[in-house]
Amino acid sequence: MKRVLTIQDISCFGKCSLTVALPVISAMGVETAVIPTAVLSTHTMFKNFTVKDLTDQIVPITEHWRAEGIGFDAVYTGYLGSFEQIEIVEKLFDDFADSDTLRFIDPVMADNGKLYPAFDEAYAARNAELCRHADFIVPNITEACFMTGTDYRETTDEAYIKNLLEKLGALGPKTAVLTGVSLSPGKTGVMGIDTVSGTFYTYQNDRIDATYHGTGDLFSSTCVGAMMNGIDWQTAMQIAADYTARTIAVTVANPANPWYGVDFETTIPELIRMLDARR
């Protein structure tokens, strides 16, 4: 059985970060270890949430693992809340990732043309430096713009996306994939670049007119789980895009209107069928 380490925050209530990554990757038949970077009472779309930073626990955890001889087939990072956490993760890549370890970075920091309130452009630049350690990076368009110093556009075309991907590739990852890419009306999906060959990859599905917290985490977690099942990265991205879209559609149809996250728990059986069909 493959083993993944995922490093990101955990919300005690709400569907994002570790509360998505752990069940989804585990359901895909992959052992999942976690390092929580912070614990929150709810995710940040709620008001008056509490938060406890866990930076001081990360190094003791990893030192214990080294003493136990624990290793990983993939290291997957999500939301990192500070410069110190980025620095620790860089060292963690050195300690736990060799040439056979998948290094997957989701540089969670921004959306809709704006950085999250806790971050600034210096933080975005530091995330760009972290990306040189990655095999895969999966920013959204806003995050990519901040990391590459590119002007953000609400409306994009293929030339703009390709230019942005080439700039991401110059940061050092083997593969860069942009999420939330719309290349024609009514469509959305992903576009990526293999920095070794310079070739581009595109996958689009139907756009659903709804926005939920945590869908980026669902996409990234599904990608990692699929690749740990021996699926090539292009197919993994397709599975992740289709599964995320399907889960959004199911959530939109839920009469209870769970605005705080998507109903991925109900669609996991569909994910497993998608996975089985492509193995």
Side-chain angles (χ1 to χ4, degrees):
M1 183 185 295
K2 297 289 187 179
R3 179 187 294 149
V4 168
L5 165 61
T6 182
I7 310 163
Q8 48 192 310
D9 63 290
I10 185 165
S11 296
C12 298
F13 185 85
K15 304 179 184 185
C16 66
S17 303
L18 283 182
T19 54
V20 168
L22 178 57
V24 168
I25 299 172
S26 297
M28 297 174 81
V30 180
E31 182 180 352
T32 311
V34 304
I35 293 181
T37 56
V39 59
L40 295 84
S41 55
T42 66
H43 64 56
T44 56
M45 296 301 289
F46 287 83
K47 296 179 180 178
N48 304 317
F49 60 89
T50 66
V51 58
K52 173 65 174 177
D53 182 87
L54 298 177
T55 303
D56 63 350
Q57 296 301 305
I58 301 175
V59 171
I61 289 170
T62 58
E63 287 179 345
H64 181 208
W65 286 351
R66 278 200 304 272
E68 294 291 332
I70 295 170
F72 301 98
D73 298 291
V75 178
Y76 155 37
T77 68
Y79 182 97
L80 301 174
S82 66
F83 288 87
E84 184 179 0
Q85 288 186 356
I86 294 174
E87 184 176 347
I88 292 171
V89 166
E90 284 180 326
K91 186 174 187 306
L92 190 148
F93 277 132
D94 291 336
D95 290 341
F96 289 99
D98 58 26
S99 59
D100 295 323
T101 306
L102 174 72
R103 292 168 290 186
F104 190 103
I105 294 176
D106 184 358
V108 181
M109 70 180 105
D111 206 356
N112 299 315
K114 297 179 180 180
L115 287 163
Y116 295 154
F119 301 140
D120 58 17
E121 292 187 8
Y123 177 84
R126 188 67 181 89
N127 260 284
E129 293 174 358
L130 178 66
C131 289
R132 74 176 185 271
H133 298 275
D135 296 305
F136 289 86
I137 60 172
V138 290
N140 61 34
I141 293 173
T142 301
E143 291 157 349
C145 287
F146 275 107
M147 290 196 296
T148 61
T150 303
D151 290 338
Y152 174 78
R153 296 182 190 172
E154 287 288 343
T155 303
T156 63
D157 56 22
E158 186 172 340
Y160 175 86
I161 296 299
K162 284 185 173 180
N163 178 258
L164 194 52
L165 283 168
E166 288 170 344
K167 290 180 179 179
L168 288 172
L171 298 179
K174 293 180 181 178
T175 304
V177 176
L178 275 171
T179 62
V181 173
S182 178
L183 297 177
S184 59
K187 297 289 184 177
T188 190
V190 299
M191 189 169 187
I193 185 171
D194 180 325
T195 63
V196 177
S197 66
T199 56
F200 293 95
Y201 166 81
T202 303
Y203 183 73
Q204 299 276 281
N205 48 25
D206 292 337
R207 178 190 295 276
I208 301 170
D209 190 20
T211 301
Y212 290 98
H213 200 72
T215 52
D217 302 319
L218 188 65
F219 175 86
S220 294
S221 300
T222 305
C223 287
V224 172
M227 286 191 281
M228 286 294 96
N229 275 273
I231 292 173
D232 64 88
W233 72 267
Q234 295 96 334
T235 305
M237 298 291 166
Q238 179 180 335
I239 292 170
D242 286 345
Y243 176 59
T244 302
R246 173 59 181 157
T247 304
I248 292 171
V250 167
T251 308
V252 168
N254 184 346
N257 189 27
W259 62 269
Y260 54 86
V262 289
D263 292 338
F264 71 89
E265 300 92 340
T266 64
T267 57
I268 281 179
E270 295 183 57
L271 171 60
I272 303 308
R273 288 194 288 271
M274 290 179 189
L275 191 64
D276 287 342
R278 291 168 172 84
R279 278 196 278 217

